[in-house]
Amino acid sequence: MRIRAQMAMVMNLDKCIGCHTCSVTCKQTWTNREGTEYVWFNNVETKPGIGYPKFYEDQERWKGGWKLDRKGRLVLRSGSRLRRLGNLFVNPDLPSIDDYYEPATFDKDILVSAPGGLTDTPVKRPHSRLTGEPMAITWGANWEDSLGGPTAQDDPNLAKMGETVKFEFEKTFLFHLPRICEHCLNPACVSACPSGAMYKRDEDGIVLVDQDRCRGWRMCVSACPYKKVYVNHATGKAEKCTLCFPRIEAGQPTICSETCVGRLRYLGLMWYDEDAVLAAASVEDDAALLDAQRSVFLDPNDPAVQQAARDAGMPEDWITAAAASPVWKLIGEYRIALPLHPEYRTLPMVWYVPPLSPVLDAAGAAGRDDTDADDIFHTISDLRIPVEYLASIFTAGDTGAAAGVLMKLAGMRSYMRARTLDGTVAQEILDRIGMSAEQVEAMYRLLAIAKYAERYVIPVAHQRQAAELDSQLTDCALDCAGGPGMGLTITPVARS
């Protein structure tokens, strides 16, 4: 066993209101400069929908992630190393600007500098940030925001469900899905990079780009099934979410977590067995990948694991932080967080608590008893957001696993409702979800009313690591020419 530390995130989708504050603050911190106008390290999608970039979940088209070959070996979906080398200069699986969107700006000066006496009101027209030419805005990173219909029928996840979901007005549904780089345990982008510029940090598992080694081959963009690696068109270099590692090293949460209005993000350390990663990613049955990845994680409260961490040179405060990690509690102890598309076999480390429709209201509307365990759990299959759709996104189609998580969440709500109203202990519900009263109440506190220090348990980098970390800063930071803080060059807009 080789124990490793991984900084991970969990997002509670029940609390996301789609305000995009996380996207805006991330944009202002990392990508508010020339060459990254179309780049969103963090974006919030509306599901169902085709996402950003368009159809990024369709791996038959983009060849992202991993698959098993005929001999059961794990190989990149983008092909062999020889195939990738042959496509260095003409990558057939690369999204175009139309799959993202053409960034625009506006000639605002015309509103204040137009001469008097005009018969027509001056209008600020959109101009391309890439060419300076007038353009029509037809798409954007959040174009589908709250639409819940016009593009939903093209969602690749719905294509797997056939006629299960019908978009009738009274039955339509949507939820918001914030996305960042998954900082995977088995990152396809790292393996696909011909120049070795993509790498995974030993000390905390954050995946970064060595800007000096990057040659702009863009194979990382194709290989990432989540399409969270971008190309700076001004520098020709690959860029991606850094999990705000300068803040993480100082014990602070990422900027998207810090500014999240819904307080839906959790950050913490996870221990995992590096020797078990390949076997977990190579499991033949897609539906078994969730349990396979969970088996890679090590219980930070196990004395044997703690001793193994000490033997591996982990600082004592990191061991303490891992034991208090809210991420471990949601993923490993309560088992209510799920990975995004485990079938991509990258073993992602940004997990989600799936959204739960108002199950108690649904039970009442259906004429059922919202205090009866059988009636509550039966309602799970009739919720507005279909279990099959959630399973397609979070459990590789395993509806049983997705329904099990929803039942725990519904059971928690029903238990806490009875506990709050009359002080009763709904033991039948506890028995059905296999949790104790203490666990349910602790899970409720973490999901509903957890304080700042409970949601973010981030140990600081140690002084003895400073030299190593400092040597990596020039490799992975974006404070190169044209990087954050280096000044923003504004291209003059041509007027028409």
Side-chain angles (χ1 to χ4, degrees):
M1 179 179 74
R2 286 189 295 173
I3 189 170
R4 292 287 189 182
Q6 172 73 46
M7 185 57 62
M9 181 183 289
V10 170
M11 303 190 209
N12 183 2
L13 297 184
D14 254 340
K15 301 173 77 174
C16 183
I17 62 174
C19 66
H20 300 275
T21 303
C22 53
S23 300
V24 173
T25 52
C26 176
K27 185 73 174 174
Q28 291 300 313
T29 302
W30 292 103
T31 60
N32 61 341
R33 52 203 155 83
E34 187 178 16
T36 60
E37 295 90 348
Y38 78 103
V39 174
W40 295 85
F41 288 170
N42 181 109
N43 72 291
V44 182
E45 297 171 357
T46 298
K47 288 294 185 182
I50 61 178
Y52 174 76
K54 297 175 182 177
F55 304 105
Y56 74 92
E57 294 166 295
D58 184 0
Q59 303 313 325
E60 295 300 321
R61 175 180 181 181
W62 298 121
K63 308 294 190 295
W66 302 84
K67 66 177 182 178
L68 298 180
D69 65 10
R70 295 178 181 178
K71 296 182 179 180
R73 296 173 301 188
L74 197 65
V75 296
L76 287 172
R77 191 178 289 273
S78 57
S80 66
R81 179 178 178 83
L82 185 61
R83 179 183 183 274
R84 293 196 303 276
L85 289 175
N87 291 329
L88 274 182
F89 301 102
V90 185
N91 186 345
D93 306 317
L94 191 69
S96 69
I97 193 64
D98 292 333
D99 295 308
Y100 296 100
Y101 69 98
E102 187 169 1
T105 188
F106 296 89
D107 183 9
K108 299 176 183 177
D109 288 343
I110 195 172
L111 299 181
V112 295
S113 61
L118 294 177
T119 56
D120 298 323
T121 302
V123 176
K124 57 178 184 179
R125 298 179 58 188
H127 293 75
S128 170
R129 288 293 301 269
L130 304 181
T131 66
E133 297 297 324
M135 62 172 288
I137 300 177
T138 59
W139 194 254
N142 63 338
W143 198 261
E144 300 172 294
D145 194 21
S146 301
L147 294 179
T151 56
Q153 68 274 9
D154 297 322
D155 187 325
N157 298 289
L158 292 180
K160 305 174 185 177
M161 300 172 58
E163 296 298 317
T164 304
V165 178
K166 293 183 181 296
F167 285 97
E168 302 172 17
F169 179 77
E170 68 275 11
K171 295 181 180 179
T172 190
F173 67 95
L174 66 86
F175 62 92
H176 299 292
L177 180 69
R179 291 202 305 118
I180 64 172
C181 168
E182 297 288 329
H183 297 279
C184 308
L185 299 184
N186 183 38
C189 58
V190 173
S191 295
C193 179
S195 58
M198 305 286 296
Y199 68 98
K200 188 173 180 65
R201 295 210 311 188
D202 286 339
E203 60 273 14
D204 53 18
I206 297 176
V207 178
L208 298 168
V209 185
D210 182 334
Q211 292 289 295
D212 291 332
R213 298 185 67 175
C214 180
R215 296 294 178 266
W217 298 124
R218 310 184 184 200
M219 292 298 168
C220 52
V221 179
S222 299
C224 174
Y226 306 99
K227 291 297 172 281
K228 278 300 176 181
V229 184
Y230 303 89
V231 174
N232 182 317
H233 64 79
T235 65
K237 306 279 189 175
E239 296 187 12
K240 60 178 294 298
C241 163
T242 67
L243 205 65
C244 292
F245 70 87
R247 294 178 58 90
I248 294 292
E249 290 168 7
Q252 300 175 350
T254 61
I255 197 67
C256 59
S257 301
E258 181 77 65
T259 59
C260 177
V261 173
R263 301 180 180 182
L264 60 96
R265 302 187 187 224
Y266 303 81
L267 280 163
L269 276 180
M270 295 282 285
W271 298 134
Y272 72 96
D273 181 3
E274 187 177 26
D275 290 335
V277 169
L278 178 60
S282 303
V283 171
E284 183 175 356
D285 183 8
D286 285 352
L289 285 166
L290 171 59
D291 287 336
Q293 182 171 357
R294 280 178 173 157
S295 70
V296 171
F297 302 138
L298 304 173
D299 185 351
N301 297 291
D302 185 340
V305 172
Q306 294 179 349
Q307 187 57 50
R310 292 188 185 96
D311 295 340
M314 301 295 181
E316 197 64 34
D317 59 336
W318 280 47
I319 296 173
T320 302
S325 170
V327 174
W328 162 254
K329 292 175 183 177
L330 294 171
I331 294 176
E333 183 177 346
Y334 308 141
R335 300 171 75 88
I336 56 172
L338 299 170
L340 184 63
H341 289 296
E343 69 272 18
Y344 297 162
R345 300 178 181 271
T346 61
L347 306 189
M349 289 307 297
V350 176
W351 288 42
Y352 297 85
V353 177
L356 179 66
S357 303
V359 62
L360 302 185
D361 292 344
R368 302 186 180 114
D369 183 357
D370 60 14
T371 63
D372 184 272
D374 287 330
D375 283 351
I376 292 171
F377 295 142
H378 180 74
T379 308
I380 293 294
S381 61
D382 299 328
L383 294 178
R384 181 178 290 262
I385 303 176
V387 175
E388 294 85 356
Y389 184 75
L390 295 176
S392 177
I393 297 176
F394 299 115
T395 62
D398 184 353
T399 55
V405 170
L406 296 180
M407 286 181 181
K408 282 189 177 182
L409 296 173
M412 178 194 71
R413 290 187 184 184
S414 184
Y415 172 87
M416 291 305 300
R417 183 179 187 179
R419 189 88 167 80
T420 303
L421 290 178
D422 54 23
T424 58
V425 175
Q427 189 60 45
E428 182 184 2
I429 292 177
L430 297 176
D431 294 339
R432 290 288 295 272
I433 63 177
M435 298 180 71
S436 66
E438 292 75 15
Q439 284 180 312
V440 169
E441 292 186 26
M443 182 170 73
Y444 165 77
R445 175 177 178 82
L446 185 58
L447 291 176
I449 57 175
K451 302 297 184 183
Y452 187 94
E454 297 173 286
R455 289 182 283 120
Y456 310 131
V457 182
I458 307 167
V460 299
H462 277 247
Q463 187 173 1
R464 66 179 183 175
Q465 298 172 317
E468 179 183 353
L469 292 172
D470 184 64
S471 68
Q472 294 183 12
L473 287 181
T474 57
D475 296 335
C476 59
L478 297 177
D479 56 353
C480 52
M486 300 302 291
L488 179 64
T489 302
I490 304 296
T491 304
V493 174
R495 293 188 180 179
S496 172

